[in-house]
Amino acid sequence: MNRWEFIKASTFLGCSTAVLGADSISCSKRTQTKPADTGTQPKNYRISTASGAVKIMPEDILPESDTVTFGIAGNETECFQIVIRPETTVERVSVTVNDLVSGSNRISGHTWHQVGYVYISTFAGHPVPADVSGKLSGWYPDPLLTRDHAHLIENWSNSIWVTVHAPAGTPAGTYQGTVELEIGPHTETIHIEATVYGFSIPAVPSLPSLFSLALEYLAKVYPGLPTAIRKNWLDFLAERRIMPTDLYIDLQGPDGAYRITPEEYVHYNGQTNGFVIYPITVTWEDRNAPAEVLIQRFEENRRYIDAIIASGAAAGGKGVFYGFDENEPEHFDTMKAVHAHIKSRYPDIPIATTSMHIQSLAQLEAVHVDILVLHITDGIYNNPFADQLRAAGKKVWGYISLQPYHPMPNWRIENALIETRVLLSAMAYHERFDGFLYWGVNQYNKGQWETPRPISRNTPLKLDMSITTPTEEYKWLHGDGLLIYPGTDGPLSSIRMENIRKGLEEYEYYKLVEAKLGKNATLELAAQVAQSMSAYTRDVQEYLKHKASLAAKLG
């Protein structure tokens, strides 16, 4: 399916209602109920709406629409886009997002951002040319920028990204509201209709995860890492169901001063599920270090480790030891010695590693690993092997990096956003992931290896920041390890990061259905949109209708 087919799917094949998860829709253009627009100048723009699961390129022309309809559970967020395409540049558009109301019940606190753009210079050298067929150099949507007023670029489809959050326990019902746009002399009203389901997703994620926050790069962007900015970053991740944790922090190096404290892990434990107590190896080269060196370093950090364990944050397997990233067979002897030492000190704390070369239960037990994190590419993660390990009491997680490539999902800049949501919801459930790992959310070593400057409010939409891996070999790789942008006061999200949050939230639908209908029945339901790592829906509308059908089973 090409990008235009995605867009048509998200707007229900050209109807004037963008459907984000409702059970039924109307294809008629809504009659405006606001007073007649008194602007005397002709309108030289068109307005459309789209799901947050659709990537809107500047050149995309969508069907006109003025209504957004979606379904949402308690403790869930939903995102949608208002797309304005003007014939001339518009310097200032006022955006007001009003409350959603159902009788005496009200949902408030909605936010809006404007989608910004990063420049992509080339896809030449991509390992799978078919993945990027037809994709040209130019400006690609990704960062979500904070602005006082929206700014519209001439003859571009400019997206205003609206986020709605329904608190846990929000009464079920149909909620209605509006977004008001002041475009020159004209007032435009976007009508919102939200169906709030009669259930809430749990506060603590059912799917454990490790997304690495590089504290080293935060300290480079924000010298000294001021307390308020640090807290904004940690809060941001926790709000997206991810524990702030650094998989590769050198506790004895300069970035060790910024380590996550035991108190912080305890604070965020009620919103998240998974963190690294201690990274056994810090760098790629550490994998080749003598076992004695790694054991000595471990012992030198025992005070920090003991404080975390004593805090209770690691209880229930939430805290793990992690290391020997993507190990090779030549590392197994060192792993065996180091892990045996760690187990002698902390027998109940799981040890996790990523590996493409551990291929049997005997190998896994020999190196004292409890959680094997397998790449989903090329059949490395496969259920017969994973189930064999699980039967022996082990956990098997999935992960992605710069790989995999089509037809498997990823969230590089060229990938469709719907892939992200399917990966972390239906696919994660159907493939029985015990958790999910990603190597970096803020790897600020792109472009020319320069540390980026913090992005200020009202910055130009065409961002002066690279997300491209700065080597000739990987000049085609954009967005790998970078999902969050550095704002002046803290993190700025991306459309990819918000779809990661959506996938983690929507995974909970399957767990709730499982509690009601059982595991086998729920696996069959997940297979309706994700049959395997490479066979899954890329149709936004199909996915959202499926989500609504899950909600109906929980009603």
Side-chain angles (χ1 to χ4, degrees), residues 211-522:
F211 282 72
S212 187
L213 173 69
L215 295 166
E216 171 190 5
Y217 286 118
L218 286 192
K220 288 180 179 179
V221 174
Y222 310 100
L225 194 54
T227 301
I229 290 177
R230 174 191 175 93
K231 185 177 186 301
N232 288 343
W233 273 88
L234 304 191
D235 287 350
F236 174 92
L237 284 169
E239 288 166 2
R240 284 152 183 79
R241 307 178 76 79
I242 295 169
M243 175 68 90
T245 196
D246 189 337
L247 274 64
Y248 312 105
I249 186 171
D250 182 357
L251 292 172
Q252 296 173 311
D255 47 323
Y258 307 108
R259 68 187 66 184
I260 308 297
T261 68
E263 294 77 17
E264 287 169 329
Y265 281 133
V266 170
H267 176 73
Y268 294 111
N269 231 0
Q271 299 171 261
T272 61
N273 188 356
F275 67 92
V276 172
I277 299 171
Y278 173 78
I280 301 167
T281 53
V282 173
T283 66
W284 198 252
E285 291 73 26
D286 271 353
R287 302 177 308 162
N288 300 314
E292 296 77 12
V293 171
L294 298 177
I295 290 171
Q296 179 181 346
R297 191 166 69 194
F298 174 81
E299 287 297 324
E300 290 169 352
N301 286 286
R302 286 282 301 280
R303 179 177 295 182
Y304 175 66
I305 296 168
D306 287 342
I308 291 176
I309 294 173
S311 75
K318 279 193 171 185
V320 304
F321 296 122
Y322 175 79
F324 292 97
D325 208 42
E326 296 191 340
N327 51 76
E328 307 278 345
E330 57 263 32
H331 303 130
F332 288 176
D333 286 343
T334 304
M335 293 170 66
K336 180 178 180 179
V338 175
H339 291 172
H341 178 83
I342 293 173
K343 282 293 185 184
S344 72
R345 299 293 191 267
Y346 305 101
D348 298 327
I349 301 297
I351 296 176
T353 191
T354 50
S355 181
M356 302 181 191
H357 298 282
I358 296 175
Q359 299 175 344
S360 70
L361 175 61
Q363 284 182 318
L364 191 69
E365 290 180 331
V367 294
H368 308 288
V369 167
D370 306 288
I371 300 173
L372 181 59
V373 188
L374 294 174
H375 209 299
I376 73 169
T377 193
D378 299 330
I380 294 171
Y381 182 106
N382 65 86
N383 279 312
F385 178 43
D387 286 343
Q388 178 191 9
L389 300 183
R390 292 185 185 109
K394 306 297 184 181
K395 300 289 186 182
V396 184
W397 290 26
Y399 82 101
I400 64 172
S401 55
L402 62 91
Q403 298 171 306
Y405 309 115
H406 184 81
M408 290 168 283
N410 208 316
W411 47 64
R412 298 182 304 271
I413 197 69
E414 72 267 19
N415 290 86
L417 296 175
I418 189 62
E419 295 182 26
T420 299
R421 288 174 75 159
V422 174
L423 168 61
L424 292 176
S425 61
M427 187 178 294
Y429 186 86
H430 185 266
E431 299 303 306
R432 305 193 289 285
F433 292 175
D434 293 315
F436 189 85
L437 179 147
Y438 189 63
W439 74 284
V441 298
N442 67 318
Q443 290 291 313
Y444 296 142
N445 58 351
K446 308 297 183 182
Q448 300 301 315
W449 301 102
E450 297 175 351
T451 301
R453 297 185 302 273
I455 300 164
S456 62
R457 191 176 185 86
N458 298 318
T459 198
L461 299 181
K462 297 178 181 179
L463 204 60
D464 182 21
M465 176 177 164
S466 176
I467 64 169
T468 300
T469 300
T471 66
E472 179 65 22
E473 181 182 4
Y474 292 109
K475 63 184 180 183
W476 57 269
L477 181 57
H478 314 289
D480 183 45
L482 201 163
L483 298 165
I484 307 171
Y485 294 81
T488 302
D489 299 319
L492 296 175
S493 196
S494 67
I495 60 178
R496 292 177 297 140
M497 186 73 239
E498 292 309 295
N499 277 275
I500 288 171
R501 169 160 66 174
K502 285 306 306 161
L504 292 172
E505 289 180 338
E506 288 159 355
Y507 179 85
E508 303 299 343
Y509 280 58
Y510 295 97
K511 296 300 291 184
L512 291 170
V513 171
E514 177 188 321
K516 187 172 183 178
L517 301 182
K519 183 77 170 182
N520 290 337
T522 311

Side-chain angles (χ1 to χ4, degrees), residues 49-196:
T49 56
S51 165
V54 178
K55 187 177 296 182
I56 308 298
M57 294 294 289
E59 66 270 20
D60 291 335
I61 301 176
L62 281 64
E64 289 187 278
S65 56
D66 61 7
T67 302
V68 175
T69 305
F70 60 88
I72 189 170
N75 199 37
E76 186 180 10
T77 60
E78 189 55 82
C79 305
F80 61 88
Q81 300 176 78
I82 302 169
V83 184
I84 311 173
R85 187 176 182 87
E87 295 176 6
T88 59
T89 295
V90 181
E91 297 292 343
R92 178 188 176 105
V93 174
S94 295
V95 182
T96 303
V97 186
N98 297 307
D99 291 353
L100 293 170
V101 178
S102 176
S104 61
N105 299 314
R106 185 177 296 268
I107 304 174
S108 57
H110 320 310
T111 60
W112 72 272
H113 296 80
Q114 187 160 3
V115 178
Y117 303 86
V118 289
Y119 190 77
I120 303 302
S121 60
T122 184
F123 289 104
H126 195 290
V128 184
D131 270 14
V132 292
S133 177
K135 296 190 185 303
L136 305 174
S137 60
W139 294 97
Y140 281 69
D142 197 45
L144 291 175
L145 303 177
T146 54
R147 302 187 64 84
D148 296 320
H149 302 90
H151 174 87
L152 306 181
I153 300 174
E154 175 182 355
N155 292 323
W156 273 32
S157 289
N158 302 265
S159 289
I160 296 169
W161 187 278
V162 180
T163 302
V164 174
H165 176 76
T170 298
T174 300
Y175 290 68
Q176 295 182 332
T178 59
V179 178
E180 302 289 338
L181 306 172
E182 300 291 336
I183 309 175
H186 304 292
T187 300
E188 302 287 350
T189 301
I190 305 299
H191 300 271
I192 309 170
E193 184 173 289
T195 299
V196 176

Side-chain angles (χ1 to χ4, degrees), residues 21 23 197-199 509 513 516-517 545-555:
D23 297 296
Y197 303 129
F199 62 91
Y509 280 58
V513 171
K516 187 172 183 178
L517 301 182
K545 284 187 173 181
H546 173 76
K547 175 185 172 181
S549 73
L550 296 178
K553 297 181 187 304
L554 296 167

